[in-house]
Amino acid sequence: MRKDILIRILGGFIIGAVLGQIVQFFVSLGISQESYVWVVPEFQALFESETMAIMTQVVLTGLIGITFALAALFFEIARWGMLKQYIVHFFVTALIWIPIVVVLWMPKTMANIFSLCASFLGTYVVTWLLQYKLSKRDIEKINAMLIERGDFHDN
């Protein structure tokens, strides 16, 4: 179990940091016409050097990756129902992802923050509904196989 968690932490950090740089590339395209912008100017202003801002951005996006990698473990808690797993996962990931995204890339207006939170929630609702339908279909297939084999007794 410890090895699995260490792999999740390391892999999550790497994936988060890489995805963060991909996001930064697209942000840079949107805000600069002349050269690549390694960090958003508002974020860079919080630091004495661009290097410290870049390193902090990598650490923060890595933290997002670690959060998602570890929070995926909630879906392995069999005694929890799927709804509880998604609710806990939603709040844990939202508590990390939303503030970091706001600090790194978002213009700090209430409309932008509301839009970010709404899109995060919307994505979760769609994901949950799709996962629910897939799980329900899988359960129906398993039950049909058990009935066929005679191993399932409906009370």
Side-chain angles (χ1 to χ4, degrees):
M1 183 69 164
R2 286 184 188 172
K3 184 178 178 182
D4 178 50
I5 290 177
L6 289 175
I7 290 170
R8 283 177 183 268
I9 290 170
L10 181 61
F13 183 87
I14 292 169
I15 291 169
V18 168
L19 289 176
Q21 294 312 300
I22 292 170
V23 168
Q24 183 58 39
F25 172 77
F26 288 107
V27 169
S28 179
L29 286 176
I31 64 174
S32 177
Q33 325 249 298
E34 297 177 15
S35 63
Y36 184 74
V37 177
W38 287 94
V39 292
V40 173
E42 293 82 8
F43 184 68
Q44 184 176 336
L46 301 172
F47 300 88
E48 291 184 25
S49 71
E50 182 180 42
T51 302
M52 282 303 298
I54 293 168
M55 289 178 11
T56 303
Q57 178 173 279
V58 169
V59 168
L60 289 174
T61 56
L63 178 60
I64 291 172
I66 290 169
T67 301
F68 276 90
L70 291 177
L73 292 171
F74 295 133
F75 298 112
E76 295 180 14
I77 302 173
R79 67 182 181 276
W80 287 6
M82 200 167 92
L83 181 60
K84 182 177 180 179
Q85 292 169 339
Y86 267 89
I87 289 171
V88 173
H89 186 269
F90 171 82
F91 282 109
V92 168
T93 56
L95 285 171
I96 300 298
W97 188 80
I98 290 171
I100 290 175
V101 169
V102 168
V103 167
L104 291 179
W105 297 301
M106 296 286 297
K108 280 51 163 196
T109 66
M110 288 307 292
N112 285 341
I113 294 170
F114 177 77
S115 174
L116 179 69
C117 292
S119 66
F120 192 77
L121 177 62
T123 300
Y124 246 86
V125 168
V126 168
T127 302
W128 185 83
L129 287 171
L130 288 172
Q131 193 61 42
Y132 179 80
K133 287 183 183 276
L134 289 172
S135 295
K136 187 175 178 182
R137 187 190 69 197
D138 290 345
I139 290 168
E140 288 170 355
K141 284 181 183 179
I142 291 168
N143 285 342
M145 286 174 33
L146 291 172
I147 289 170
E148 230 175 73
R149 287 180 26 188
D151 293 340
F152 183 80
H153 304 285
D154 195 14
N155 292 334

